[in-house]
Structures are given as structure tokens and as C-alpha cells.
Amino acid sequence: MNMAKATINRLPTGVPGLDEVLGGGLPEYSFNVLAGAPGCGKTTLAHQLMFALATPERPALYFTVLGEPPLKMLRYQQQFAFFDEAKINQSIHFVNLADETSTGDLSKVLDRIIAEVEMRSPGLVFVDSFRSVILASQTLGRDFISLQQFVQQLGMLMTSWQATTFLLGEYFSENDPSPVFTVADGLIWLRQSVQANSVVRKMDIMKMRGQPTLPGLHTFRISELGVRVFAPPFPAVPNESGAGSPIVARASMGVVGLDAMMGGGLPRGYSLLVAGPSGSGKSILAAAFLAEGARLGETGVIAAFEQRPNQSRGRHIADLIDRHQIGVIDTRAHALSVDEIAMLLIEEIRRLKASRVVIDSLSGFELALAPTFRDDFRESLSRMVAALTSTGATVLMTSELEDRYNELRFSPYGTAFLTDAIIVQRYIEVDSRLQRMMAVVKVRASAHSNELRLFHIDDNGIQIDGMLAGYEGLLGGRPNRRPTLAGPSQGADDG
Amino acid sequence: MQAEKPAVFATLARLAEEGMDADIVASNAASIWRNVELALAPIIGQSAVAALYKRSLHISRATSPFLTAVFDVPHAPGDYAPLQTALSQQSGADASAALSVLLQTFHELLVRLIGESLTERLLRTVWDNPSYGLALRDTSS
């Protein structure tokens, strides 16, 4: 006989990014703990979940215990966009348990919870904060039922009554295995990580029975819209269009002559690193790349980290932004994480069905990160690039490169290996003039030019000129005229 | 944004003008306050309702000094006898006016704390309860 297994419905939480981190939503009838220090966002997260999930068919009961006065909670929570007062006393019921808690008798608290649950048949139950329940039972110190019994009975009852339950706790200690943690099906820990002067909110799904949760600390932000979790970006599907498979299409770069240097343009779904010193024209190349896309009817997305983005983008790009052919990622928030930018980029790519993405520049990006994320910059960047290209978009990133004439470097982060293609720009001194030079260093799985080409920038953007014939030592920054006759070398590096 | 005031305030204001029997105002006052407490205490807790009640008394003393006597008595949740007694000792007009001010003060206090729409949602059943209006009106005719 083929009997069906129990089906666990997963409720979409309505909190951006949380479903991904939880491994597909919140299991129905689960018994969960939201733990963390004061101010870490437990009540906000609980309210956001409640307002998203509560319906007349699945009403919510929110028990407030001694912790935060409910009056204040209502005052502050209603500032969030998700707070919909039309649901209050309809699909959402607040119940104050202060009287029962103050007796210190957990069985009284339990009885009251049971009475309310039996009366309302809620689909969702919240107890805020559970810490107060524990404290009250301890300080009054009488031998009613133990905390463990209380939690076990509560967990059993709530599941039997088909309620998805959340206990909010303030000072649970990770080192002190509370009986709550054993009973709980889910344990979501909210933290505020401090490094130097920067504070970053992080969420850790320490336990979620039967779910492939994403391990690790996930950044989240609280704005007027509520909590937003930044799940680490994952390649959407195995990267079919990117490197490794035959190149089917190429994106033209918008600079005359550059496509030819790249073997016909930048293969679609590739990531390209444009490295060069300050002022060499990286942003202009990036702008040309987006403008060319717009000319061909494609849409693009830009995450710009320069100090004055509007000035450096130029009029044409500003027009395209106004016409919604190019989407702009807001990079002004403090203490960014790579995951946050990745999520914003991917959302914008999907929204605009964008095929071209520009990140200008990685150096500015790194500066905008919270210090705590700088150590992992390479790893996070590698994940982000994989996720971006997996959307099918072609990605151009610029990287500030200090001109070092005694070595050939492409990126200060060792990020060169991350990208499928590299263009390097440099300054060289020729006849007492500072000239610009560009070369295509790498285009994975494609033939490309090995020429070092001079270029200049005029009102129409980048103009690629010829090779500097008859010189050598160009990469050293001070090329020498190659001797026309075989003779004693003048030495390329005597300067 | 100032929404329309609940009907109960208009009723009380009118009754104050018409000169209503103070005893009736007083007994209605107690039942109105018990309903307020019934609507709010499960949500914000009895002690919060009690604190807001005390604060409202404190503010309303400015216009109705006799409320000082009520304010000075320690308030036990659910006990509106001191208010009822004090109101019944006034003239009908003074009692109606004082109750009106007290309820409006409480309402405005709650609006400042949790906003107009939420206050309205929580107290709608109390203010819209037609029994006060009827009870008050019946006896005035």
C-alpha cells in the first residue's frame, strides 16, 4: 500500500530574502524561537511575519508579556509600512499576559494562552517576550510547573491546535542550552555585529527542522519597509550561457575597434574586468558599454560607487536612466555587504530584463562595505559574479589600479581570475606626453588581439588609435624606441 | 489630520447644554469607562489603561477642578466608583462637561501615542455603543 507522507506546507514569510535563507519558507505548525539581544529586531520581524501571514482564515494571536509595554510596541511598530491596522481585532488579536505572568505561575500563563487559543483558533501564535515568562517564573521561585514542562506543553499544544508559533526571547544564551532550544523546530538568531564603528545586523538560522536552510550569518537591514534579509546570491541555474559552453552571441562594446580586439565583442554572459589607473577612462568605457546596449534596445543596470555619480555618468547615461533603459542601484546606504548589492542588482536585472550590468568600481564598492565584510571581499565577489552572470547578463566591472610600472597587475584584489575577460588600461610616457594605452588581456575561450593600442578620449568617448610602432617596454610606462639596427640594446628598464 | 469625533462626545456636549441629571451622567460614566477598559486592557494591559486614565484625570483637572478629588484617590483597575461619586455631586451640566472633557482627553492621549486610525479601531465599539446615547437621551426627555 502506498501511503502518502505528511506534507509540510511552507508559508511564504513576506520578509524579503527570508524564505531563501530558511530554505523555502516557514514550515506550517512549526514551533520557532526568535532570539537575540534587545534592539536586534525580533519584535519587528515578528510583526512583519504576522502582518504578512495573518488572514481571516488564519488569524494571529500576539501575546505580550511583561517586556516591552504593548502601548509602545503599537506606537513604534505602526511606523512600518507592513503595519496594517485594518487587520487588528480582525485577523490579528493582541493579548496582554501581564497579570498572569506577574503571578510567576507558568501554569496560569499556559492556561490563559490555551483559553485564548481555543477561543480564536489562531493559525499563528506569538509570545513576546518569552524572556519575561522565564524571569517571572524564576524570580518568584515557586514550584509550579518547570520551564521545561511549560515549553514542552506549549509546543505540543500549539502544534496540535495547528498554530505556527514564535517565541521571542531577549537574553537566551547560546552557551546555556535552554530547554526551549530542544523543543523548538526553528531557531532564528538575530545579532548586531560590531566592528570598529560599524554595526551590521545579521541573522543566523541555527535550526529549522526538515529544511535545507542556508548556513552562515546573513545580513539584514531594517528600513521603514521592515526587515529585509540579504541571502547570499546563488547562480540561478547552471551557467549555460557563460564560460565553458560555446560562445553563441557577443555583446558589442560601443567603442569602435574594441570589438575586433576582443575577437568580435564580449561574449554574452561573460564578466569583464576593466582595470586601470585613476582617470584612464574606465567609467567612460563602462558608459559606452551601457549606451551601446541601449542603442540596440537592451536594458542595463549600473551600481556606481564613485563619489559624484551624476557628474561622471554623463548626459547620455543620465537620459537613459530617466528613460528607464538603465536601472540604478542605490549604493548610498551605510555599511553595505556584497550580498546586499548582489541582491539589489539581481532584482533590478530581473525587473528590467537587463542584459548588461556595470559595477563601477570595485574599489569604491570595497570602500562602501562595512569593515566586517572586507575580509571576505574576494569570496563574496566571486559568488556575486557567478550569480550575476547566471542571469544571462553580461557584466562589466571596473577596478582602480595603481600604476606600477615594474609589474603587470590587473586588480588589487586578485580578482582577475574571477572574470572571463580582462581589459587593462595604462598611462605611458611618449615624447613628453602622457598617453593612454589599452590591451585585451584575456577573453576566455575566444581568440583576441594581443595588441597594445593607444587610445584617446574626446567628446564622443573613447577612440582607439593605432599601435605605438617601433617602441618597446610599453608596459613599463616609459617605452623606448626600438633600435632600428641590431646593436647594443639600450635597455628597456634603465629608468 | 483630524477625523470626525466619535458620536459619544457630541452626545455628551449636547447633554451638557441641555442640563442632564448628574446621577445619570455619573452612572453612564462608570459604564463607559468599564467598556473602555474592556476594549483596551486585553491589548495594552490593565496597568497601561489605568495609567492613561490617571493622566487624563490630571489633565482634565484644569477645566474641571473637582476631578482632583478623583485623581487623588489611588486608582484600582476596574474601579470607577470615585469618578461616579464625584460626578454625581456636581450639577448635571458640570458633570456632563467634565465627563466629556475627560473622555476626549483620554482619546487624544491615545491618538498621540498610537495614532488616530489604530485608536479608532480599538475604541470604535466603545464609542459607537448606542446604549450610552440612548440611556442618556431616554432620561433627558
Side-chain angles (χ1 to χ4, degrees), chain A residues 211-230:
Chain A
Q211 302 244 113
T213 57
L214 296 185
L217 292 169
H218 308 295
T219 328
F220 70 99
R221 220 173 250 289
I222 299 180
S223 70
E224 71 281 359
L225 297 175
V227 173
R228 170 168 206 181
V229 187
F230 300 104

Side-chain angles (χ1 to χ4, degrees), chain A residues 13 75 95 165 270 278 373 389 408 410 452:
Chain A
T13 58
R75 176 172 167 78
V95 180
T165 307
Y270 268 34
S278 183
F373 298 119
T389 52
L408 183 58
F410 305 118
L452 300 175

Side-chain angles (χ1 to χ4, degrees), chain A residues 63-374:
Chain A
F63 293 100
T64 51
V65 194
L66 282 172
E68 185 185 4
L71 204 54
K72 284 204 202 175
M73 183 185 76
L74 293 173
R75 176 172 167 78
Y76 293 113
Q77 288 299 319
Q78 68 176 268
Q79 307 304 321
F80 291 108
F82 58 73
F83 193 98
D84 175 10
E85 59 257 332
K87 287 193 169 183
I88 290 174
N89 284 355
Q90 300 294 322
S91 50
I92 290 174
H93 301 275
F94 288 95
V95 180
N96 187 256
L97 291 180
D99 292 339
E100 288 77 6
T101 320
S102 61
T103 62
D105 183 350
L106 290 181
S107 59
K108 277 196 180 150
V109 178
L110 193 62
D111 287 347
R112 177 76 195 280
I113 292 179
I114 293 167
E116 293 286 343
V117 166
E118 287 178 356
M119 186 170 74
R120 307 255 186 218
S121 281
L124 302 157
V125 169
F126 297 80
V127 183
D128 183 6
S129 89
F130 198 68
R131 169 70 177 167
S132 309
V133 177
I134 299 173
L135 267 187
S137 73
Q138 286 170 348
T139 46
L140 291 156
R142 276 168 273 164
D143 283 332
F144 301 109
I145 56 169
S146 71
L147 180 65
Q148 179 140 14
Q149 286 170 310
F150 174 79
V151 172
Q152 275 165 353
Q153 288 187 28
L154 188 66
M156 191 264 293
L157 276 162
M158 291 304 131
T159 306
S160 310
W161 276 85
Q162 296 175 287
T164 309
T165 307
F166 300 85
L167 304 184
L168 281 68
E170 277 155 41
Y171 301 108
F172 288 122
S173 156
E174 283 167 85
N175 307 320
D176 171 26
S178 165
V180 182
F181 297 166
T182 321
V183 176
D185 302 313
L187 178 50
I188 300 176
W189 207 290
L190 308 182
R191 302 162 201 277
Q192 301 204 63
S193 128
V194 180
Q195 187 170 341
N197 289 326
S198 116
V199 179
V200 175
R201 296 179 187 276
K202 292 178 180 175
M203 176 183 289
D204 185 5
I205 313 297
M206 295 175 74
K207 177 177 177 182
M208 191 58 66
R209 282 197 230 266
Q211 302 244 113
T213 57
L214 296 185
L217 292 169
H218 308 295
T219 328
F220 70 99
R221 220 173 250 289
I222 299 180
S223 70
E224 71 281 359
L225 297 175
V227 173
R228 170 168 206 181
V229 187
F230 300 104
F234 275 95
V237 281
N239 197 344
E240 295 294 333
S241 55
S245 48
I247 295 162
V248 282
R250 289 177 186 255
S252 58
M253 298 296 298
V255 172
V256 177
L258 185 55
D259 288 346
M261 287 171 71
M262 300 186 78
L266 180 60
R268 296 270 179 190
Y270 268 34
S271 53
L272 163 67
L273 181 71
V274 179
S278 183
S280 68
K282 302 180 296 296
S283 296
I284 295 172
L285 181 56
F289 174 71
L290 287 177
E292 177 69 1
R295 194 182 65 82
L296 298 169
E298 301 172 30
T299 44
V301 176
I302 183 168
F305 296 91
E306 323 95 290
Q307 290 190 316
R308 282 173 293 182
N310 286 331
Q311 281 188 1
S312 58
R313 270 184 215 139
R315 274 237 47 84
H316 186 44
I317 294 294
D319 285 347
L320 292 172
I321 291 168
D322 289 343
R323 294 210 301 266
H324 304 289
Q325 279 184 278
I326 296 175
V328 184
I329 303 300
D330 186 0
T331 58
R332 290 166 305 171
H334 288 288
L336 286 170
S337 71
V338 177
D339 291 349
E340 179 171 351
I341 290 297
M343 184 166 166
L344 296 175
L345 276 169
I346 289 169
E347 268 182 12
E348 192 70 355
I349 292 170
R350 294 208 175 116
R351 188 177 74 82
L352 292 172
K353 297 186 175 55
S355 54
R356 296 178 182 230
V357 177
V358 163
I359 299 169
D360 185 22
S361 66
L362 293 181
S363 325
F365 190 4
E366 192 190 18
L367 276 181
L369 292 179
T372 171
F373 298 119
R374 289 191 193 145

